[in-house]
Amino acid sequence: DSGVTQTPKHLITATGQRVTLRCSPRSGDLSVYWYQQSLDQGLQFLIQYYNGEERAKGNILERFSAQQFPDLHSELNLSSLELGDSALYFCASSVAKGGGNYNEQFFGPGTRLTVL
Amino acid sequence: AQSVTQPDIHITVSEGASLELRCNYSYGATPYLFWYVQSPGQGLQLLLKYFSGDTLVQGIKGFEAEFKRSQSSFNLRKPSVHWSDAAEYFCAVAAPSNFGNEKLTFGTGTRLTIIP
């Protein structure tokens, strides 16, 4: 158990709908990352938040958005869903102390999204 | 931008035999290097990492990896595999920065099957 929790574990929805995925980081971790794992794109970085602010952006579609709340949990919002959005969405967290030291990212178990 | 190549999509090994999983990266300098394992239905677990120093790094579960700058490689090895090692293995890189916690860029993964 990494200490990172994600809800829900599974989500089945229809095209055109909107869903929200939730991530609670490990206690004390300030940084949250979202990754998408799909059959055609592999594992790719979507977005990173640090202490409530967006830190880095990857291959995240405009239909997707995220935020990190004052209690440090994060939500990934996916709208106007398409069949191709079906994937496993991982959240990871890290202390992100900076100072040139790399701190390990701990991954949650993921949310499997199926768009029908 | 950095990239990672894992040339072997699927490898089958007999239990007790040795294992080597290949990973090549593309980056202008020496990146941070990682190997993660993903068991079915599970999240990603860090096996080992390389930041600098000794080019042979030891990880969990009896795995080791060797960084070879001249070949831009970071191959994962295990002297004797166990049936429980059957999983998907991902090589990943991150670009060093002053902040210290950059995104991970993953390879496409190698699925390891163990036969009795």
Side-chain angles (χ1 to χ4, degrees), chain A residues 8-93:
Chain A
K9 292 190 79 168
H10 302 277
L11 200 47
I12 301 174
T13 188
T15 55
Q17 295 298 305
R18 172 190 168 93
V19 297
T20 296
L21 313 184
R22 182 188 169 102
C23 169
S24 293
R26 294 189 318 154
S27 176
D29 284 359
L30 298 177
S31 198
V32 169
Y33 307 76
W34 286 97
Y35 293 86
Q36 178 196 57
Q37 185 178 31
S38 64
L39 285 176
D40 53 345
Q41 299 288 333
L43 248 175
Q44 59 176 355
F45 167 74
L46 295 179
I47 197 164
Q48 177 197 2
Y49 276 82
Y50 175 77
N51 204 20
E53 294 192 1
E54 183 183 303
R55 169 69 65 173
K57 227 170 185 176
N59 298 324
I60 187 166
L61 300 172
E62 285 192 13
R63 299 184 286 109
F64 296 1
S65 64
Q67 56 185 133
Q68 186 178 27
F69 294 86
D71 67 351
L72 300 178
H73 92 269
S74 178
E75 293 181 356
L76 180 66
N77 301 295
L78 315 176
S79 62
S80 303
L81 286 168
E82 302 175 358
L83 296 178
D85 297 328
S86 295
L88 191 52
Y89 291 85
F90 286 111
C91 166
S93 75

Side-chain angles (χ1 to χ4, degrees), chain B residues 25 27-33 50-52 67 69 94-96:
Chain B
Y25 67 88
Y27 183 64
T30 299
Y32 296 139
L33 295 158
Y50 173 79
F51 293 165
S52 63
F67 168 62
R69 186 190 309 273

